[in-house]
């Protein structure tokens, strides 16, 4: 498949990543990637998060670097079962793309699958949330059917996170079930490299094989076209022009 977009990339601002925005853009350009989303961790990540004003000021980032279009975004942390995010609405509405997910140290561990699912579904209902990241993480079991149904109903994309197969051991089975359910319902899927160094930009090798095995239709996968991402975000009320 041809991959034009990476919707989940980190920079040195996240504290545990190793490349700058410029380095990420250069790496993307060399790979023929047309668009990347800069989605550093929200403030609740602690030492791995960022002061909220970093996100307020993202307007200073050039729209294109080395010919690569830059989406200004965040990987926000879901904090509780009400789906509360760690950036206030006035910050979220300034961003091009908002990713949200459950993270150790930000969301309580040991809750039931029902409680974890409720937290994600409430975040899905947030009008600024575009993608739910690494939902297959076995540390936070969920009701897969309910999650995928809600994401589809609210036009929120479901991420298959390539990094999870390395950093979140045991994710593959859950991600496979999620991808198969998404294919069944026609839900929108996005692949995220979750790159913490520029060399991993658009590295979707394991995620690509998984969605192929799950028979997710190409037309339902965001990353194959920058225009497809723009159209998806437009449906979410976000006007982006290449």
């Amino acid at each position: 498949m041809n991959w034009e977009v990476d919707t989940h990339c980190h920079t040195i601002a996240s504290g545990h990543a190793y490349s700058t925005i410029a380095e990420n853009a250069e790496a993307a350009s060399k790979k023929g990637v047309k668009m990347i989303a800069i989605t550093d961790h929200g403030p609740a990540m602690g030492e791995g998060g960022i002061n909220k004003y970093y996100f307020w000021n993202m307007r200073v980032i050039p729209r294109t670097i080395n010919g690569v279009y830059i989406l200004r975004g965040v990987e926000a942390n879901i904090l509780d079962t009400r789906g509360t995010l760690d950036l206030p609405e006035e910050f979220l509405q300034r961003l091009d793309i908002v990713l949200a997910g459950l993270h150790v140290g930000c969301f309580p561990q040991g809750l039931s699958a029902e409680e974890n699912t409720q937290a994600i579904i409430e975040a899905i209902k947030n009008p600024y949330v575009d993608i739910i990241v690494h939902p297959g993480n076995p540390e936070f079991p969920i009701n897969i059917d309910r999650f995928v149904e809600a994401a589809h109903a609210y036009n929120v994309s479901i991420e298959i996170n390539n990094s999870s197969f390395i950093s979140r051991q045991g994710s593959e089975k859950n991600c496979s079930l999620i991808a198969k359910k998404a294919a069944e319902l026609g839900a929108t899927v996005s692949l995220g490299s979750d790159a913490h160094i520029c060399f991993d930009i658009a590295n979707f090798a394991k995620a690509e094989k998984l969605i192929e095995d799950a028979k997710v239709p190409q037309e339902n996968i965001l990353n194959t076209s920058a225009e497809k991402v723009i159209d998806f975000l437009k449906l979410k009320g976000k006007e982006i022009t290449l």
Side-chain angles (χ1 to χ4, degrees), residues 33-78:
V33 175
K34 294 183 178 181
M35 174 186 285
I36 59 172
I38 301 301
T39 52
D40 285 305
H41 288 287
M45 188 62 72
E47 291 184 2
I50 304 171
N51 183 295
K52 64 182 180 179
Y53 290 104
Y54 171 91
F55 302 100
W56 186 269
N57 198 44
M58 289 186 86
R59 65 185 182 277
V60 304
I61 300 170
R63 270 303 178 195
T64 58
I65 302 174
N66 285 340
V68 177
Y69 192 91
I70 307 297
L71 292 174
R72 304 157 181 166
V74 63
E75 183 182 7
N77 299 289
I78 302 172

Side-chain angles (χ1 to χ4, degrees), residues 142-239:
I142 60 171
N143 182 312
I144 288 172
D145 286 356
R146 285 190 61 217
F147 158 61
V148 176
E149 288 164 2
H152 184 44
Y154 283 88
N155 193 32
V156 169
S157 184
I158 297 164
E159 182 189 70
I160 303 299
N161 184 297
N162 196 78
S163 177
S164 284
F165 305 123
I166 301 167
S167 60
R168 301 178 186 90
Q169 293 298 315
S171 292
E172 189 165 351
K173 179 181 177 181
N174 291 340
C175 289
S176 178
L177 293 171
I178 289 168
K180 288 175 181 176
K181 187 65 179 180
E184 175 190 329
L185 295 183
T188 302
V189 171
S190 57
L191 305 191
S193 70
D194 202 354
H196 282 64
I197 192 165
C198 61
F199 307 112
D200 278 336
I201 296 290
N203 177 7
F204 303 136
K206 293 180 181 295
E208 180 176 6
K209 183 178 186 308
L210 187 142
I211 61 170
E212 286 177 351
D213 291 345
K215 296 180 170 54
V216 178
Q218 184 171 341
E219 59 266 25
N220 293 347
I221 304 168
L222 285 181
N223 311 71
T224 57
S225 163
E227 288 76 13
K228 192 183 293 186
V229 173
I230 289 173
D231 289 344
F232 170 75
L233 293 174
K234 187 174 182 179
L235 289 174
K236 305 284 292 181
K238 302 177 181 184
E239 294 292 337

